[in-house]
Amino acid sequence: MASPRRGRLSGKISIYQLKEDVPRDYHFRGYRELTESGLSVTPDNYQKVYEGTLEPGVTLEGLWETFNLNHPEDFTGHSLSMSDIVVLKQDGAETAHYVDTIGYADVTEPFLHPERAAEQTASYDEATYHLDQESYLYVQTSEDGYDY
């Protein structure tokens, strides 16, 4: 999976949250826990609760703060939480980020390109976590266990 863009962002943002009728097993779970339990990020389970423009200089951490402490007036969802999806459109590219236990997990393939994701295995193979403005943690499985 591709890693989230580093540093400051600009472009467009969309926030998706799970629909109320989606089973509770999907709600407020870390990405690894979700996938290890045999569940997956499925676009049909989500509804768009916000769409807007990213101000220059905003970071993914800044978005978390905004959508938890300073909700925009036109934001209709709950505070940004685990299992929510942030979609960024920047420089013609779109990426999707699952709000995880720590940072974000890149879910571009399963969320934006589910037809391609269906071709991949259902096991948890890799993830990128955005720790802060300049730090990322990339985790993948290997024959010997986890590779950080």
Side-chain angles (χ1 to χ4, degrees):
M1 290 184 202
S3 65
R5 298 188 111 159
R6 297 186 103 164
R8 297 171 182 251
L9 308 171
S10 64
K12 295 195 180 283
I13 178 177
S14 299
I15 295 178
Y16 294 82
Q17 294 179 337
L18 289 164
K19 297 174 184 173
E20 288 186 27
D21 63 344
V22 172
R24 287 283 164 215
D25 291 350
Y26 287 85
H27 291 258
F28 308 108
R29 294 182 80 177
Y31 185 68
R32 181 173 177 178
E33 179 187 2
L34 180 79
T35 58
E36 284 183 345
S37 67
L39 302 174
S40 61
V41 174
T42 307
D44 290 341
N45 288 344
Y46 286 83
Q47 64 184 354
K48 187 185 297 185
V49 296
Y50 181 78
E51 186 171 60
T53 302
L54 286 170
E55 298 297 324
V58 172
T59 62
L60 281 168
E61 294 80 22
L63 291 174
W64 189 91
E65 184 176 312
T66 296
F67 289 95
N68 275 283
L69 304 176
N70 306 307
H71 298 163
E73 289 181 25
D74 56 343
F75 179 58
T76 59
H78 58 72
S79 292
L80 200 60
S81 303
M82 276 193 307
S83 74
D84 295 345
I85 306 286
V86 176
V87 175
L88 303 174
K89 191 171 204 175
Q90 304 166 259
D91 303 324
E94 245 183 333
T95 55
H97 310 275
Y98 184 97
V99 180
D100 211 347
T101 53
I102 299 174
Y104 297 84
D106 185 326
V107 292
T108 301
E109 288 300 307
F111 195 75
L112 298 176
H113 309 289
E115 68 287 350
R116 288 191 284 201
E119 296 172 5
Q120 298 174 355
T121 64
S123 66
Y124 181 85
D125 292 324
E126 58 185 73
T128 303
Y129 296 94
H130 186 146
L131 302 176
D132 60 36
Q133 187 171 356
E134 298 295 324
S135 302
Y136 295 84
L137 173 64
Y138 179 76
V139 181
Q140 68 181 28
T141 58
S142 68
E143 290 178 8
D144 298 325
Y146 292 104
D147 184 17
Y148 301 92

